[in-house]
Amino acid sequence: MGYRVVVAGATGNVGREMLNILAEREFPVDEIAALASRKSLGTEVSFGDKTLTTKDLDTFDFTGWDIALFAVGSDATKIYAPKAAAAGCVVIDNSSLYRYDPQVPLIVPEVNADAIEGYKAKNIIANPNCSTAQMVVALKPLHDRARIKRVVVSTYQSVSGAGKAGIDELWDQTKGIYVPGQEVAPSKFTKQIAFNVIPHIDVFMEDGSTKEEWKMVAETKKILDTKVKVTATCVRVPVFVGHSESINIEFEDFLDEEEARDILREAPGVLVVDKREPGGYITPVECVGDYATYISRIRQDSTIDNGLNLWCVSDNLRKGAALNAVQIAEVLGNRCLKKG
Ligand SMILES: NC(=O)c1ccc[n+]([C@@H]2O[C@H](COP(=O)([O-])OP(=O)(O)OC[C@H]3O[C@@H](n4cnc5c(N)ncnc54)[C@H](OP(=O)(O)O)[C@@H]3O)[C@@H](O)[C@H]2O)c1
């Protein structure tokens, strides 16, 4: 016996990956519904070797459905997630709407799967920001060994993190640069993204940081440990899929780079590719379609007593969104909504 599963936002970048991953991991599905906005009514999307026809989220009745994976953005989530939850369907949401709600667990299964029981308060579970998800997968095993005091992270985030419109803008702008008369002005992004980098993701906060940077701070504390200090600089780069991060970590205890490498090799969700030779590290194009969070360039930071540097790369549509949501559904199924 399986679950009746809804994917809301099934025509989007994350929603399509959710369908792929549910099929790939053979999530026990008895029935599945693909939902999007009214304008996409009837659009076909793939689910394994099946084709689903999308239905309208606005008129969908969630009664009798077990789990709804939401990837529709905060505005639509605000309207429809409470409806689904009230109908008894557990929502696993990808937007930022519920992430900081103390009554909603924010989960990365490799790090804090035990928080799952908290879903009962609202029938909602939040999925973290893509940059946070991959970073905490890397930090957790190191924190368990040497207690992290402070993290300094700079991100190199792909345009797919800004939805379908982000991918289209990089594609069209890149082509347009070479074709006179077909230049594409910035619209989704604040400045030209083709052949450029932009140190601004989401809105500015009062202290001069951006909301994306604030999210990494707040979410790391909620998922990993409230005592860990994080300072982030988030940058959009002209990469289609795959977020990269340069992470500097200060620990309470000394942690040798060799031991850190061994710990990360054993850690769930992590693959270490770290040869000190040309090409002995992972770049975003190599992580696309994978589940792993890749760690490379592990090295001591000799400017502080207990410091390490590393490079962290993962598929933002997978570990950063769809895979993490499906992993949460797996934990929910195994621990809380047992069937059969
Ligand atoms: N991309 C990432 O790396 C990433 C990572 C973590 C979290 N997230 C979050 O995941 C969510 C989806 O992101 P995405 O990248 O998949 O965006 P996207 O490619 O732009 O897709 C958005 C999806 O939401 C649907 N939608 C939007 N408004 C709707 C409404 N009012 N009613 C019904 N459906 C609606 C769209 O349907 P139509 O096609 O019919 O418009 C589409 O299926 C966002 O909250 C985002 O912040 C994204």
Side-chain angles (χ1 to χ4, degrees):
M1 224 174 116
Y3 298 87
R4 298 184 77 215
V5 178
V6 175
V7 174
T11 53
N13 285 337
V14 174
R16 284 177 193 272
E17 282 297 350
M18 284 171 164
L19 290 166
N20 290 338
I21 292 170
L22 286 166
E24 276 169 28
R25 292 171 75 92
E26 298 179 352
F27 188 83
V29 168
D30 270 359
E31 191 178 350
I32 189 152
L35 311 182
S37 74
R38 190 161 300 148
K39 80 173 164 44
S40 302
L41 191 69
T43 301
E44 294 190 336
V45 290
S46 299
F47 173 60
D49 52 14
K50 297 191 184 71
T51 301
L52 308 176
T53 305
T54 50
K55 296 178 180 147
D56 182 4
L57 171 60
D58 191 45
T59 54
F60 189 77
D61 180 2
F62 286 90
T63 311
W65 292 82
D66 299 302
I67 300 172
L69 304 176
F70 264 64
V72 293
S74 293
D75 292 347
T77 301
K78 200 173 193 167
I79 301 168
Y80 301 108
K83 278 190 181 175
C89 177
V90 183
V91 172
I92 300 172
D93 179 38
N94 269 265
S95 80
S96 57
L97 190 68
Y98 292 104
R99 289 180 194 156
Y100 319 107
D101 183 332
Q103 289 189 295
V104 173
L106 176 66
I107 295 182
V108 173
E110 292 87 343
V111 181
N112 65 337
D114 290 346
I116 194 88
E117 293 289 342
Y119 86 90
K120 289 173 187 153
K122 288 198 170 170
N123 245 7
I124 298 174
I125 302 165
N127 207 55
N129 175 265
C130 36
S131 302
T132 309
Q134 69 184 68
M135 183 170 81
V136 294
V137 167
L139 295 183
K140 167 71 176 164
L142 302 177
H143 185 53
D144 286 346
R145 160 63 183 79
R147 311 309 296 171
I148 295 172
K149 280 167 69 176
R150 176 172 184 255
V151 174
V152 182
V153 56
S154 297
T155 69
Y156 305 72
Q157 297 182 220
S158 68
V159 294
S160 57
K164 286 180 290 189
I167 292 184
D168 291 345
E169 188 155 315
L170 175 60
W171 176 252
D172 294 337
Q173 215 172 58
T174 304
K175 285 190 301 179
I177 279 178
Y178 293 107
V179 186
Q182 288 187 23
E183 297 85 357
V184 174
S187 150
K188 182 74 191 172
F189 301 112
T190 52
K191 299 211 178 203
Q192 177 183 317
I193 186 64
F195 307 102
N196 202 9
V197 298
I198 305 173
H200 170 198
I201 301 178
D202 210 332
V203 297
F204 277 94
M205 313 281 288
E206 258 179 31
D207 67 355
S209 63
T210 64
K211 186 87 183 277
E212 187 81 352
E213 291 155 359
W214 177 85
K215 286 176 194 167
M216 290 194 78
V217 177
E219 294 177 22
T220 302
K221 284 180 181 292
K222 184 165 176 179
I223 299 165
L224 184 65
D225 189 332
T226 51
K227 292 190 283 300
V228 170
K229 292 179 184 168
V230 178
T231 180
T233 301
C234 294
V235 181
R236 189 74 71 192
V237 298
V239 167
F240 284 110
V241 178
H243 287 0
S244 308
E245 298 173 342
S246 161
I247 307 177
N248 175 266
I249 311 163
E250 184 177 359
F251 299 93
E252 278 176 21
D253 303 329
F254 179 74
L255 179 58
D256 173 67
E257 62 186 26
E258 279 304 326
E259 191 185 347
R261 198 172 287 113
D262 289 344
I263 289 170
L264 288 166
R265 279 207 182 97
E266 297 299 316
V270 173
L271 275 179
V272 174
V273 177
D274 193 19
K275 291 189 184 150
R276 291 176 174 178
E277 61 188 36
Y281 39 78
I282 289 290
T283 61
V285 290
E286 294 157 286
C287 78
V288 177
D290 283 359
Y291 291 158
T293 293
Y294 288 94
I295 308 294
S296 306
R297 305 288 325 280
I298 302 163
R299 62 206 190 278
Q300 226 76 49
D301 172 4
S302 59
T303 65
I304 50 175
D305 285 342
N306 302 323
L308 280 181
N309 287 306
L310 54 86
W311 174 248
C312 172
V313 180
S314 197
D315 182 329
N316 54 294
L317 300 178
R318 293 201 152 213
K319 187 58 203 169
L323 170 64
N324 198 69
V326 173
Q327 287 177 299
I328 293 173
E330 290 168 350
V331 175
L332 188 70
N334 290 334
R335 297 194 189 184
C336 311
L337 304 182
K338 284 207 174 70
K339 293 258 179 177

